[in-house]
Amino acid sequence: LVLLSIVFQPTSCASAQAAPNNDFETDDMWSQCNCPSSASTTNKKQNHAKMAYLISVHNRRTIHDGAYLLKSLMETSHPGNTAVILIHVDHRVGIANPAEVAKNETLKNQFLYHESPLRRYVDACLANSCARSNNDSNDGAHKTNADNNVLLEVHSHFAPNWGQWSMNQPTIWGMEYLLYHPQFQRNTNKLRLGKTMSSENPSSLPPPWDVFVNLSGDTLPVISAQRISQLFNTIDGPLGNTNFVTSSSCATGLIPTSIFDFPKGTMKRSHYFQHGIPKRHSYVDTLSGEWKINVETPIYFGSQWMALTHDFVNYVIRSLSHPNGLGSVLKRTFVDTEVQMTDESFFATVLMNSPFNNTIPKLNKDDKSLLNYPSMQSLRYERMDENAPNAWDKWTSSNSLYDIPPKFKSVTDGEGPSKPWGPYFLGLYDLGDIKDSGALFIRKVSWSVDENLVRMLPVLRSESEEERMLLEWDVLPDIRWPKNGVKIKDPWVWSEENEEVE
């Protein structure tokens, strides 16, 4: 009972969630942005990483779900821990306002963001200086410490198509922005610790952010943004200096899966080899400048949702910028051969064939959990039957799963159910597996499917729990799918029932 009372205690970001036809939201919750608290909920002596997030949304539902994600990251952080939050809106939706749409019919639904809770919440955070934007004209109305408040910006540049190379474009754009925008250049003449940066060696200065995390809008953190920052700190954090490119559904867990790990004849291995993907490539290692001539370059699979170090992000973008870099060579190969699922294979393949292949997670031999943080089985928990119980085209999973409710289409502009292999929507019955996974993030989560899960996360750890070394996952209730399955009956409509009796 004590544990349950801790979990269900409303957090600052989950106590008032909002959307049309949603009783647990309030009318003004999106017009209020509570700045990151200076009152730490973790040990103040602990080091913290500076996090840079990219949130991608592509339709009405993910834009709305993205408001919950943004609120969770903003309001459970600590000043200076969350350095950047970029939001990319699919260009087919765009960020136009209704007036612009009225003038140009080709824009169609491009006002969805303009009228969304996500936009209202972004505006609220910028208005009260919880966040700042490079696009804002700083008229001095709000004075904030640039090292403490979050850089928050919304952009719309690409329209990714499922399975194609374009799925990588928002992620690569986000990486380039974080590296090349003047805001993030380490050799500017801004004051730092009483010195001008021009008087120092720029390469000796700490980067403006430490960890890049890209998230889909229908994601939620299981723990606070502050705790995530603490776990990723580069000095003594158990997740620090590690590149995570997989999710719980990946066949080899926390480490990328070689294409040769899939048996011959299976879908992913067959698809890539049928398209003539060469086993060897020649490219320039942009870190050392060395030419790699005709070296084996095996394909690896992971997830498009990752957590990457600043140095590896820099390597990826440099290798894409160089015409003969590993990134450029792989991109040309993938595009020319028209293989699919490159969002799952590109970054994992670059990582495993680069000098950074020693930065993948180190695992315990027994249970494949993270060596430095054994409670963590995956970075992000999701449900996909593609690899459960196996990835060999045998759809034998009998686990129950959430289906979309009858009203789902009416509140999502006609969105259909998940693909047969997933990822599936998550709800309260998945809490037991989320608890077991020790994951930092979960997906797919939507107020339109099960708002109860949205109410509960993220879990905030109290000082007494910290003193007892009680982890957030420990206080999640162990709720699981009933062994005999679940079948939900639609509400009774008495007039129809009476007709059947008659």
Side-chain angles (χ1 to χ4, degrees):
L1 292 177
V2 174
L3 295 184
L4 287 175
S5 67
I6 295 173
V7 172
F8 288 103
Q9 180 179 358
T11 67
S12 61
C13 62
S15 60
Q17 321 291 0
N21 304 319
N22 194 351
D23 293 338
F24 79 102
E25 295 184 347
T26 61
D27 293 337
D28 65 346
M29 69 166 291
W30 302 120
S31 62
Q32 299 177 0
C33 179
N34 298 317
C35 294
S37 173
S38 59
S40 175
T41 58
T42 63
N43 191 329
K44 295 182 179 180
K45 295 182 180 179
Q46 290 176 328
N47 298 302
H48 292 80
K50 290 174 287 187
M51 308 297 295
Y53 293 98
L54 169 65
I55 300 173
S56 296
V57 296
H58 66 275
N59 59 13
R60 181 187 291 273
R61 178 185 61 79
T62 56
I63 289 175
H64 197 139
D65 292 336
Y68 295 107
L69 172 57
L70 177 60
K71 195 173 183 70
S72 296
L73 295 176
M74 283 292 301
E75 300 188 10
T76 68
S77 184
H78 188 267
N81 295 165
T82 301
V84 190
I85 300 179
L86 299 176
I87 301 172
H88 183 272
V89 182
D90 190 301
H91 194 57
R92 284 165 294 209
V93 176
I95 53 177
N97 61 49
E100 292 172 335
V101 173
K103 296 177 182 177
N104 186 353
E105 293 184 357
T106 61
L107 294 177
K108 296 182 179 179
N109 287 336
Q110 291 197 356
F111 61 90
L112 292 180
Y113 168 76
H114 189 272
E115 297 185 344
S116 70
L118 178 58
R119 186 242 176 172
R120 295 203 303 275
Y121 186 69
V122 168
D123 288 349
C125 291
L126 294 174
N128 70 358
S129 296
C130 288
R132 68 190 191 281
S133 170
N134 282 323
N135 297 328
D136 282 349
S137 58
N138 187 4
D139 57 3
H142 302 288
K143 296 294 185 181
T144 58
N145 186 336
D147 288 333
N148 285 345
N149 69 336
V150 180
L151 179 69
L152 174 60
E153 293 191 354
V154 181
H155 295 259
S156 180
H157 303 294
F158 305 100
N161 291 310
W162 186 83
Q164 299 182 16
W165 173 260
S166 58
M167 291 289 288
N168 294 304
Q169 289 177 326
T171 302
I172 294 172
W173 163 82
M175 292 177 172
E176 291 176 336
Y177 192 90
L178 290 169
L179 291 174
Y180 296 148
H181 193 280
Q183 168 75 19
F184 307 108
Q185 295 296 305
R186 285 189 275 183
N187 59 351
T188 58
N189 290 323
K190 293 183 178 180
L191 291 174
R192 185 180 184 87
L193 300 178
K195 301 178 181 180
T196 60
M197 294 176 68
S198 59
S199 67
E200 305 178 43
N201 179 4
S203 62
S204 68
L205 297 172
W209 53 271
D210 300 309
V211 182
F212 169 80
V213 180
N214 66 327
L215 301 167
S216 173
D218 50 9
T219 302
L220 275 182
V222 178
I223 62 178
S224 71
Q226 182 186 2
R227 281 276 288 134
I228 292 173
S229 173
Q230 178 261 315
L231 292 173
F232 273 107
N233 92 76
T234 57
I235 298 175
D236 56 7
L239 312 185
N241 305 300
T242 305
N243 287 294
F244 295 88
V245 294
T246 68
S247 67
S248 61
S249 63
C250 293
T252 49
L254 281 164
I255 61 175
T257 307
S258 169
I259 197 169
F260 297 107
D261 287 341
F262 296 106
K264 292 181 179 180
T266 56
M267 183 268 290
K268 287 184 175 178
R269 179 167 176 165
S270 297
H271 174 74
Y272 271 64
F273 287 151
Q274 287 172 1
H275 282 71
I277 295 290
K279 296 181 180 179
R280 294 177 175 271
H281 291 89
S282 296
Y283 58 88
V284 173
D285 179 2
T286 51
L287 190 64
S288 65
E290 178 186 358
W291 265 100
K292 304 286 186 179
I293 306 298
N294 197 33
V295 296
E296 288 190 4
T297 316
I299 302 298
Y300 284 83
F301 279 86
S303 170
Q304 75 176 104
W305 311 112
M306 306 164 290
L308 307 176
T309 65
H310 185 281
D311 287 345
F312 180 61
V313 169
N314 187 43
Y315 179 85
V316 170
I317 298 306
R318 288 181 63 185
S319 73
L320 280 166
S321 301
H322 193 295
N324 295 310
L326 176 59
S328 291
V329 171
L330 286 174
K331 176 183 176 181
R332 284 196 299 271
T333 301
F334 288 168
V335 172
D336 292 345
T337 56
E338 298 182 342
V339 293
Q340 296 185 348
M341 301 169 287
T342 60
D343 54 325
E344 298 179 18
S345 60
F346 175 72
F347 295 100
T349 300
V350 171
L351 175 62
M352 297 303 290
N353 289 281
S354 77
F356 292 88
N357 58 11
N358 63 345
T359 63
I360 63 174
K362 308 298 189 294
L363 307 183
N364 289 303
K365 294 182 179 180
D366 296 334
D367 59 1
K368 305 302 181 183
S369 63
L370 194 63
L371 185 63
N372 291 337
Y373 205 64
S375 63
M376 180 175 165
Q377 301 283 341
S378 60
L379 176 73
R380 178 173 49 84
Y381 177 80
E382 63 183 7
R383 281 199 59 189
M384 294 185 71
D385 281 351
E386 177 187 13
N387 296 314
N390 59 57
W392 325 140
D393 294 331
K394 295 181 179 179
W395 311 95
T396 57
S397 175
S398 59
N399 295 330
S400 299
L401 56 99
Y402 284 85
D403 198 0
I404 59 173
K407 295 180 180 179
F408 182 80
K409 288 188 175 182
S410 64
V411 297
T412 61
D413 281 351
E415 182 181 354
S418 302
K419 292 180 173 60
W421 54 86
Y424 308 130
F425 286 105
L426 302 176
L428 283 185
Y429 282 128
D430 295 300
L431 274 172
D433 289 329
I434 294 170
K435 180 186 181 79
D436 293 342
S437 74
L440 306 187
F441 302 96
I442 61 171
R443 174 180 182 261
K444 298 165 54 173
V445 186
S446 180
W447 68 269
S448 58
V449 175
D450 190 350
E451 68 231 33
N452 295 299
L453 192 56
V454 179
R455 290 175 188 263
M456 296 180 62
L457 300 177
V459 178
L460 303 184
R461 190 169 63 163
S462 69
E463 291 185 5
S464 61
E465 290 164 348
E466 183 183 359
E467 292 171 358
R468 299 197 308 270
M469 298 301 292
L470 192 65
L471 298 179
E472 291 88 341
W473 300 271
D474 296 331
V475 301
L476 283 174
D478 193 15
I479 301 175
R480 300 179 185 270
W481 288 93
K483 293 181 180 180
N484 294 328
V486 176
K487 185 174 182 180
I488 305 298
K489 182 174 177 58
D490 292 336
W492 288 93
V493 180
W494 288 108
S495 59
E496 296 177 2
E497 297 297 330
N498 290 335
E499 289 178 4
E500 287 188 12
V501 172
E502 295 174 359

